[in-house]
Amino acid sequence: MGETGEGSWQSVLTGVVMVIMFAGLWVAALVKPSVPVGPLDVGASLAGACAVLVRRRWPLAVLLGTALLCTVYYPLSALDGPLVAALFLALYTAADRGRVLPALLLTAAASAAIGIEELRGDPRHVDDSMIMLVGGWMLAAVAIGGVTHNHRAYLREAEQRVRAAEHGKEEEARRRALEERLRIARDLHDVLGHNLSLINVQAGAALHRLADHPEQAAPALATIKETSRDALRELRATLGVLRQGDPDRPPGLAGLGELIGRCGLDVRTEVAGEVTGLPPEVDTAAARIVQEALTNVARHSGVRAATIRICRSGGTLLVEVDDAGRGTASAPGHGITGSGITGMRERAAVLGGTLTAGPRPGGGFRVSAAIPCPSNASDV
């Protein structure tokens, strides 16, 4: 139960007890018309009402006060109003606030005092069953207060455990993120440090041999080329891991115009079907395939023009990049086994698609990718 709900319930309980005391006093006066309502009856009821209003702030003081008030009121009053309701509420409040032992001791003392007084009195005001009933009500009030106190303590402990678990998960996530950053930093340091050191050594050897033995410089330069290519490949792989799930990743086909503008080619674009609203992974893969294909055209085709065709139909996105260049015959780097072609093929395969690359029948070179792209549930 929240603090607001608990406060509302306690306020209702206080109001009910106050109504019982004053309404019960009026009922007692009706039942005993020969006994007038005296100042003691009204004053005791007002004192009991004031006590229950501050019971949650000073539970023990209110408990002792209402007990003394009942001790004074009932022997002196002939009307016997329901002031004991204030005592019951005080017992409940003391137990609810964690003062169970004092409430039990006062219950035992009050029950014993009432029993001894009635047994010695003549005539008796109440019989033995009423004495037991009053003692049982007092004990029940303490028991209910103890139950609500324990329930509230359990809820607080459960909430603390949940907060501790959430805090532990956050700490674990931060620890793992830090460890991952350190691992990536170590990988970059090892790869780049090793390869750059090797490049530096080979570059020094090439410069030393270039003047006197130029034919011996070629192996060193070839090693520099291979080493730098390996370093770039490792760097791209690491950056690819860092970019996964990055909300600031480059746009997909929406940025096709900017991509074409940077490639330095005369590009004609043909679009068929609805290519907006593509799944993010499909959109990114298509843009990367176009980018890599245009890069190959610029590097290997020997021409400065290309054609891009993008078509979405039947749950499939088709991407084609054509050029009228030399094809694979005179440009091995443009070949089907190039690393660029392999990377494009892997991008398509990850999404369940296919990619083909090779010379066109009429001359030139074509890269063609087909990527599944369901447009609705029926296409899945």
Side-chain angles (χ1 to χ4, degrees), residues 7 27 48 64 139-140 177 191 205 215 226 246 267 273 334 346 360 368:
V27 171
L64 293 175
L139 187 60
V191 171
E215 71 282 357
E226 293 294 330
D246 187 357
V267 179
H334 197 161
E346 290 176 351
R360 295 189 302 167
S368 178

Side-chain angles (χ1 to χ4, degrees), residues 2-360:
E3 293 183 0
T4 303
E6 181 187 356
S8 300
W9 159 248
Q10 296 288 351
S11 299
V12 170
L13 191 58
T14 301
V16 168
V17 170
M18 293 175 67
V19 169
I20 289 175
M21 284 192 297
F22 288 105
L25 187 63
W26 177 72
V27 171
L30 292 178
V31 172
K32 300 178 181 180
S34 59
V35 180
V37 178
L40 178 62
D41 300 303
V42 176
S45 298
L46 289 175
C50 293
V52 298
L53 286 175
V54 296
R55 62 189 175 85
R56 298 179 65 194
R57 180 173 296 182
W58 298 295
L60 286 181
V62 169
L63 177 60
L64 293 175
T66 53
L68 291 174
L69 190 60
C70 290
T71 302
V72 173
Y73 172 72
Y74 283 108
L76 299 178
S77 173
L79 195 59
D80 290 340
L83 183 63
V84 71
L87 178 59
F88 292 155
L89 184 57
L91 287 169
Y92 161 79
T93 303
D96 181 65
R97 292 295 167 180
R99 308 294 195 273
V100 177
L101 183 59
L104 287 175
L105 292 176
L106 191 141
T107 298
S111 300
I114 294 173
I116 293 173
E117 182 67 23
E118 287 299 320
L119 290 175
R120 294 174 57 185
D122 187 19
R124 295 182 61 177
H125 296 86
V126 294
D127 55 17
D128 295 343
S129 62
M130 182 58 69
I131 295 175
M132 296 180 62
L133 183 61
V134 171
W137 285 344
M138 296 173 67
L139 187 60
V142 176
I144 294 173
V147 169
T148 56
H149 172 74
N150 291 336
H151 178 66
R152 192 165 53 251
Y154 170 77
L155 292 179
R156 283 196 298 266
E157 184 180 356
E159 184 178 357
Q160 290 175 357
R161 286 199 299 266
V162 170
R163 290 179 180 175
E166 292 177 351
H167 182 70
K169 289 180 180 179
E170 293 174 358
E171 290 294 332
E172 180 66 15
R174 283 193 289 267
R175 184 185 64 80
R176 290 183 178 180
L178 179 59
E179 290 179 353
E180 183 65 13
R181 293 192 193 101
L182 291 175
R183 185 191 66 79
I184 293 173
R186 285 194 298 267
D187 290 345
L188 285 176
H189 175 269
D190 294 343
V191 171
L192 295 181
H194 170 75
N195 290 326
L196 289 177
S197 298
L198 183 58
I199 289 173
N200 180 65
V201 172
Q202 294 295 335
L207 289 174
H208 178 72
R209 297 168 183 170
L210 192 60
D212 301 330
H213 306 283
E215 71 282 357
Q216 297 180 4
L221 295 175
T223 302
I224 291 174
K225 179 181 178 181
E226 293 294 330
T227 304
S228 61
R229 185 178 64 186
D230 292 342
L232 287 174
R233 184 170 61 250
E234 294 287 347
L235 182 60
R236 286 172 184 153
T238 304
L239 293 179
V241 172
L242 294 176
R243 286 171 179 162
Q244 288 180 358
D246 187 357
D248 297 326
R249 63 182 176 184
L253 294 178
L256 192 59
E258 181 180 357
L259 188 152
I260 292 173
R262 292 198 307 264
C263 72
L265 300 174
D266 182 11
V267 179
R268 185 180 67 181
T269 304
E270 301 176 2
V271 179
E274 183 60 46
V275 296
T276 59
L278 295 171
E281 60 276 9
V282 175
D283 195 21
T284 301
R288 293 304 187 212
I289 290 172
V290 170
Q291 182 182 37
E292 185 64 29
L294 291 179
T295 300
N296 285 346
V297 172
R299 289 180 178 176
H300 308 298
S301 69
V303 297
R304 309 304 298 171
T307 300
I308 300 174
R309 298 184 186 88
I310 302 174
C311 176
R312 183 182 185 182
S313 176
T316 301
L317 182 69
L318 180 65
V319 179
E320 290 184 350
V321 179
D322 291 350
D323 67 74
R326 296 169 298 195
T328 60
S330 58
H334 197 161
I336 300 175
T337 59
S339 60
I341 299 297
T342 301
M344 289 188 286
R345 184 175 290 112
E346 290 176 351
R347 283 187 180 275
V350 165
L351 299 176
T354 59
L355 184 139
T356 59
R360 295 189 302 167

